[in-house]
């Protein structure tokens, strides 16, 4: 069973999120050997196809974790693919899941994920109408607003124009848009990774209600892992994440700016100098994300920051670094 709770921001207030990984067959692009270069999530999809009824029962079981508890809660459902892909979840299955959530008063926010080409007006509108009093977001993996980076460094298979179309459909259908951005795709220096994230935020802001800054970590079996093993790619510095988060929240104070630094302080995850303080920074980022209060990341001890500043100021590429 893959579901868990974590401190998080719920519809603009500190609360708890229940994360549910639905046992679907996973992303269709992975099945045609066109997966995003950084992503290994579809490899976790079950080898035996679950029935749609079994998936609904699985959601009911996961929801018992927050049943009867004081909220506010967010329910964030991931499929290792797209919630709106009829090949993963039938429309009736989606409706039944949302009907269950509609009856839970302590659930204030619902988030689903979808690739932009699978966002359809009627599909989103149908779900939005079931939960009219809840904060309902469709999370779309833009990753970067630069189409060249999306193609060469991510293999996304989408353009910025595709994202805009999906975001406009989502808003028209009555839901909100969460935009995923990837901090430091491969082939970018630390400096370029920071600038790409900032430029993408500015470009996507008119279409976005919530930004989620996904700080790259190394997943098994990916091109990112192969480059990391050859010391041709290093996950982002935590200082880069702090820089982007502070800049984004100051520039767009009315937007939710979220980030979950998976693997913070480990070699495969975002890290500075791999000291114990890396984990302190990781926890501070999560606290900022839950509260939207910059005080948690504005007054950090500047451990190892001089090395990061030198790398950023000189635009060094990962393969040029003597130490990681």
């Amino acid at each position: 069973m893959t579901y868990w709770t974590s401190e998080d921001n719920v519809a603009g207030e500190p609360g708890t999120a229940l994360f549910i990984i639905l046992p679907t067959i996973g992303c269709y692009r992975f099945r045609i050997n066109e997966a995003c270069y950084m992503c290994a999530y579809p490899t976790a999809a079950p080898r035996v196809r679950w029935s749609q009824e079994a998936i609904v029962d699985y959601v009911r079981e996961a929801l018992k974790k927050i049943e009867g508890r004081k909220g506010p809660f967010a329910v964030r459902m991931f499929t290792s693919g797209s919630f709106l892909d009829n090949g993963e979840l039938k429309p009736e299955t989606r409706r039944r899941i949302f009907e269950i959530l509609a009856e839970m008063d302590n659930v204030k926010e619902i988030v689903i994920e979808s690739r932009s080409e699978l966002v359809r007006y009627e599909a989103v509108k149908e779900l939005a109408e079931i939960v009219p009093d809840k904060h309902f977001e469709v999370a779309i993996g833009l990753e970067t607003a630069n189409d060249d980076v999306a193609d060469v460094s991510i293999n996304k298979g989408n353009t910025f124009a595709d994202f805009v179309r999906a975001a406009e459909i989502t808003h028209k259908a009555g839901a909100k848009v969460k935009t995923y951005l990837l901090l430091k795709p491969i082939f970018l220096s630390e400096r370029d990774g920071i600038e790409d994230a900032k430029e993408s935020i500015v470009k996507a802001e008119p279409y976005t209600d919530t930004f989620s800054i996904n700080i790259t970590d190394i997943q098994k079996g990916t091109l990112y892992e192969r480059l990391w093993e050859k010391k041709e790619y290093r996950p982002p510095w935590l200082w880069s994440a702090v820089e982007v988060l502070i800049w984004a929240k100051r520039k767009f104070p009315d937007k939710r700016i979220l980030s979950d630094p998976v693997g913070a302080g480990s070699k495969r995850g975002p890290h500075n100098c791999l000291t114990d303080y890396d984990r302190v920074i990781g926890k501070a980022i999560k606290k900022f994300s839950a509260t939207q209060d910059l005080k948690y990341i504005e007054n950090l001890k500047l451990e190892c920051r001089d090395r990061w500043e030198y790398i950023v100021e000189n635009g060094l590429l990962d393969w040029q670094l003597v130490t990681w």
Side-chain angles (χ1 to χ4, degrees):
M1 295 296 183
T2 309
Y3 47 83
W4 68 93
T5 57
S6 178
E7 179 185 20
D8 214 324
N9 188 278
V10 178
E13 301 293 334
T16 303
L18 171 64
F19 297 85
I20 308 175
I21 309 298
L22 301 180
T24 70
I25 58 175
C27 184
Y28 81 89
R29 280 182 60 83
F30 184 82
R31 301 197 300 276
I32 61 172
N33 296 317
E34 288 291 345
C36 296
Y37 290 147
M38 73 288 185
C39 184
Y41 293 140
T43 63
R47 295 174 183 250
V48 178
R49 185 187 290 260
W50 285 43
S51 71
Q52 297 291 293
E53 182 65 38
I55 292 173
V56 174
D57 289 342
Y58 176 84
V59 172
R60 286 197 183 97
E61 182 65 28
L63 290 172
K64 289 179 181 178
K65 198 169 182 69
I66 62 172
E67 193 173 35
R69 291 172 56 187
K70 184 179 179 180
F73 287 100
V75 174
R76 300 186 177 173
M77 294 176 286
F78 309 144
T79 70
S80 299
S82 295
F83 193 91
L84 298 177
D85 185 346
N86 290 343
E88 295 186 61
L89 292 171
K90 301 297 184 186
E92 174 62 22
T93 304
R94 297 195 292 263
R95 286 195 297 271
R96 290 176 65 189
I97 291 171
F98 267 64
E99 286 165 359
I100 294 168
L101 292 170
E103 298 299 318
M104 299 186 69
D105 292 337
N106 61 349
V107 174
K108 304 301 182 184
E109 175 179 330
I110 301 169
V111 181
I112 64 172
E113 294 181 335
S114 181
R115 287 182 57 87
S116 58
E117 72 270 22
L118 297 171
V119 175
R120 301 174 307 283
Y121 175 76
E122 290 300 333
V124 178
K125 182 173 183 290
E126 179 179 52
L127 299 179
E129 289 177 344
I130 296 172
V131 290
D133 298 325
K134 299 187 188 295
H135 181 107
F136 170 36
E137 285 186 336
V138 178
I140 303 171
L142 173 60
E143 319 304 356
T144 174
N146 185 312
D147 288 346
D148 291 333
V149 174
D151 181 29
V152 175
S153 299
I154 300 173
N155 194 39
K156 189 65 188 180
N158 291 138
T159 64
F160 181 71
D162 294 329
F163 161 78
V164 170
R165 180 200 65 83
E168 290 177 340
I169 288 173
T170 299
H171 282 139
K172 185 178 179 182
K176 299 182 184 300
V177 174
K178 173 183 280 187
T179 301
Y180 289 150
L181 293 175
L182 186 68
L183 178 58
K184 196 188 173 190
I186 53 174
F187 310 132
L188 298 187
S189 68
E190 199 76 22
R191 180 173 66 191
D192 289 343
I194 293 169
E195 290 308 310
D196 178 69
K198 291 180 178 180
E199 291 169 6
S200 296
I201 289 169
V202 170
K203 199 169 178 182
E205 185 272 334
Y207 313 99
T208 299
D209 299 287
T210 299
F211 281 105
S212 179
I213 309 303
N214 297 340
I215 314 170
T216 306
D217 64 323
I218 305 299
Q219 299 181 16
K220 290 185 178 295
T222 62
L223 175 59
Y224 279 50
E225 183 184 53
R226 293 199 293 275
L227 293 175
W228 172 73
E229 289 172 338
K230 294 178 179 179
K231 295 193 179 300
E232 294 178 5
Y233 178 77
R234 179 202 191 280
W237 286 66
L238 286 165
W239 287 128
S240 297
V242 170
E243 163 73 18
V244 171
L245 294 171
I246 292 175
W247 174 89
K249 192 62 182 176
R250 286 177 176 170
K251 188 169 183 66
F252 301 112
D254 294 332
K255 301 288 184 182
R256 278 202 304 178
I257 311 294
L258 307 181
S259 187
D260 183 6
V262 176
S266 69
K267 289 184 178 180
R268 282 181 171 266
H271 61 271
N272 291 336
C273 292
L274 293 172
T275 66
D276 290 342
Y277 197 66
D278 282 7
R279 300 186 189 279
V280 173
I281 297 175
K283 290 178 181 178
I285 290 173
K286 285 184 67 69
K287 198 70 177 176
F288 158 73
S289 188
T291 64
Q292 296 297 284
D293 192 335
L294 282 170
K295 72 180 182 183
Y296 291 104
I297 54 176
E298 282 183 323
N299 301 305
L300 293 165
K301 185 172 68 175
L302 302 183
E303 181 181 284
C304 211
R305 192 175 173 92
D306 55 346
R307 189 181 302 179
W308 169 77
E309 289 176 343
Y310 178 83
I311 290 168
V312 171
E313 288 170 4
N314 289 278
L316 297 181
L317 294 165
D318 290 342
W319 60 268
Q320 295 174 305
L321 304 181
V322 177
T323 60
W324 285 38

